[in-house]
Amino acid sequence: MPSEAALLESRALRGEQMGRVDVLDKVKSLVMLPDGIHVRTEDVARYFEVSTEAVKKVTQRHRAEVEENGLILLRGSELRLFHRDMLSLWKGAGVESYPQAATQLTLYTRRTVLNIAMLLRDSDIARCVRTYLLDAEESLRTQYASLDRRVTRIESCLTGVGSALQELGPVLVRMSERLDSLDRKVELTHQVVGAMSLRLTDVRQDVARLDGRLDSFARQLKDLRRRSGQR
């Protein structure tokens, strides 16, 4: 895990943490301007509990980096337009006046404030933010390591399953062949039963015909006896 000193010295390490702006409000509430996007230099100083000069010095020393992470400087028409928008939002919140800069205004985003937190040495709040970042990274690394071990164990189990399936393959083939043979035998049995059913039908018809002939013979015999008696 990188140390706090490494975070202070390495721009690359700071860049890896720039997505963690949620850390700011977990350490201390950051009061934004009415647009919910920007804060001024004095707001940043108030958050870190340092002087505005301390914030300005850090900003100037790492100008390119903080500009890359959202720092903007407004002048002229851009500044007037921004003031007009802020005043409108401020009045919408029930506040009658909005503090306006005379000729220029430096604005920071949450991303920029996080950048300052990783650069500002003489602030307990900034140190808390850095500690929170590093602890969260260590926790994440631990979770990743745990997940990696679990995935490794699963892969080991799957390797064993693969071997078992390879051994089970021939057995399944033999079972499939036996089931196919059984299916053929059942089919033959069905054919035999069908043939027997047809023959039984023929037998029933023969019996019916024989019954008819016996009835006819009985009637003839009865007539013959009756005639013999008459004589």
Side-chain angles (χ1 to χ4, degrees), residues 2 11-20 137 141:
R11 181 173 176 176
L13 288 177
R14 292 192 293 271
E16 294 175 1
Q17 303 294 332
M18 289 313 304
R20 301 294 313 281
E137 182 177 350
R141 289 178 185 272

Side-chain angles (χ1 to χ4, degrees), residues 11 13 17 28 54 67 85 100 111 120 125 135 164 169 173 176 205:
R11 181 173 176 176
L13 288 177
Q17 303 294 332
K28 181 182 177 182
E67 284 182 347
D85 291 342
Q100 301 183 21
R111 189 179 176 94
L120 194 59
I125 300 299
D135 288 346
V173 171
S176 178
Q205 292 174 353

Side-chain angles (χ1 to χ4, degrees), residues 34 84-99:
R84 187 179 65 190
D85 291 342
M86 289 302 101
L87 184 59
S88 175
L89 291 171
W90 208 282
K91 286 183 177 180
V95 180
E96 293 299 326
S97 62
Y98 163 70

